[in-house]
Amino acid sequence: MRELPLTYKITFTSEALSSHFFLFFPLRTMTISPLPHHVAIIMDGNGRWAKARLLPRAAGHRRGVSALECITESAARAGVKVLTVFAFSSENWARPKAEVTMLMKLFASSLKDWAQPLKEAGVALRVVGDKTAFSDELNEVIAETERETAGGTRMTLNVAANYGGRWDMIQATKAVLAKGKELTPEAIEAELTVPAVDLMVRTGGEYRISNFLLWQSAYAEIFISDVLWPEFNEANFLQALTWYSQRERRFGRTSEQLEQTGN
Ligand code: FPP
């Protein structure tokens, strides 16, 4: 079993706290321990957020980008090492053409906007998914942003685009076989696009995995929030981290066994 996350003490400055935050956490300093090493997020609810305001779905997606920027910052500040977000699933191509085109443009423009701030924040961005379906232009922007931010060691932000959990398992299996190795869980894990997930967050109140990180979420703790993604903020994210810190992760063992071994 891999090493479990360490303890992090987080001290917030007043600027980092929204007024909403005080409702949940009245203290300036709090310790969340253990923190998840890898957090994955299904950012759901952009369409409903827009619809409730009589806005086009595109407005929801644009607000979704702002929410992603806020949560990336929160995650890095909290000490999360890997953040993987579901930006576009392999099934999302079935959406109306105008929405797909809009999402691809938003993806490209967001990557361009993020390259410099992520580099300065020490966050390495990677796009994970089947990139062969993207235009040459988008692939160039992806490659450029990955190159620009490659030196970041504070946190890795994986943006899952044209991603599907089944696809990831198949590509990993093919890679193992191509190397002439035996098919073992460890060998497959080494070829998957991202590592095992500790905390999976889904916004928008739906209770499904939607072909996200199927293999990697085998032992993930799953936090469902009713908040729609465009409104998901730092307070909500810290609530998820705090909830995670209180979970007993047994990995198939009993509580008594964990008490005996001390982990
Ligand atoms: C799900 O909400 C969201 C998506 C399919 C797209 C997620 C994209 C973002 C959050 C923007 C950031 C991504 C990019 C491109 C950088 P939904 O539209 O299914 O919402 P609904 O369930 O309310 O209809």
Side-chain angles (χ1 to χ4, degrees), residues 156-247:
T156 299
L157 171 63
N158 296 309
V159 178
N162 194 24
Y163 178 89
R166 293 170 182 160
W167 165 85
D168 202 358
M169 285 155 74
I170 290 172
Q171 71 77 25
T173 307
K174 284 181 179 167
V176 174
L177 295 177
K179 289 178 180 171
K181 289 188 183 164
E182 196 188 336
L183 270 185
T184 62
E186 294 74 22
I188 291 177
E189 240 156 64
E191 298 294 343
L192 289 167
T193 53
V194 302
V197 173
D198 299 300
L199 170 63
M200 167 82 76
V201 175
R202 180 167 189 142
T203 64
E206 307 280 6
Y207 287 72
R208 10 173 217 272
I209 293 283
S210 300
N211 193 21
F212 195 25
L213 302 159
L214 296 180
W215 180 294
Q216 295 93 329
S217 57
Y219 278 98
E221 300 294 325
I222 302 179
F223 183 88
I224 309 286
S225 169
D226 285 334
V227 177
L228 302 175
W229 177 250
E231 301 214 305
F232 196 78
N233 60 23
E234 180 162 48
N236 304 127
F237 185 67
L238 293 174
Q239 191 188 12
L241 295 184
T242 304
W243 173 86
Y244 170 88
S245 72
Q246 291 156 0
R247 304 293 304 161

Side-chain angles (χ1 to χ4, degrees), residues 33 46 57 63 68 79 98 109 126 138 143 159 182 186 189:
S33 172
N46 295 348
R57 292 178 63 83
R63 280 293 285 257
L68 176 53
S109 64
R126 286 176 59 230
L138 178 54
V159 178
E182 196 188 336
E186 294 74 22
E189 240 156 64

Side-chain angles (χ1 to χ4, degrees), residues 112-189:
K112 285 180 194 163
D113 291 346
W114 294 342
Q116 194 56 29
L118 288 180
K119 185 180 177 180
E120 283 166 20
V123 176
L125 181 140
R126 286 176 59 230
V127 174
V128 295
D130 181 1
K131 291 178 239 181
T132 58
F134 297 146
S135 66
D136 291 346
E137 201 185 337
L138 178 54
N139 270 317
E140 271 168 37
V141 177
I142 291 172
E144 177 58 24
T145 312
E146 288 182 336
R147 222 177 4 251
E148 273 273 301
T149 62
T153 53
R154 189 176 182 193
M155 186 176 84
T156 299
L157 171 63
N158 296 309
V159 178
N162 194 24
Y163 178 89
R166 293 170 182 160
W167 165 85
D168 202 358
M169 285 155 74
I170 290 172
Q171 71 77 25
T173 307
K174 284 181 179 167
V176 174
L177 295 177
K179 289 178 180 171
K181 289 188 183 164
E182 196 188 336
L183 270 185
T184 62
E186 294 74 22
I188 291 177
E189 240 156 64

Side-chain angles (χ1 to χ4, degrees), residues 41-130:
I41 309 183
I42 301 178
M43 310 179 288
D44 196 18
N46 295 348
R48 279 166 283 164
W49 181 89
K51 193 174 178 186
R53 287 158 184 78
L54 306 177
L55 294 168
R57 292 178 63 83
H61 293 315
R62 278 195 292 273
R63 280 293 285 257
V65 170
S66 305
L68 176 53
E69 290 165 358
C70 162
I71 297 306
T72 300
E73 215 176 303
S74 305
R77 189 159 49 219
V80 169
K81 298 310 284 181
V82 185
L83 176 66
T84 303
V85 295
F86 209 3
F88 191 87
S89 78
S90 40
E91 289 75 29
N92 283 151
W93 296 108
R95 292 196 172 202
K97 194 169 180 290
E99 184 169 343
V100 170
T101 307
M102 183 271 160
L103 279 168
M104 290 300 140
K105 280 190 185 157
L106 186 62
F107 187 26
S109 64
S110 301
L111 291 176
K112 285 180 194 163
D113 291 346
W114 294 342
Q116 194 56 29
L118 288 180
K119 185 180 177 180
E120 283 166 20
V123 176
L125 181 140
R126 286 176 59 230
V127 174
V128 295
D130 181 1

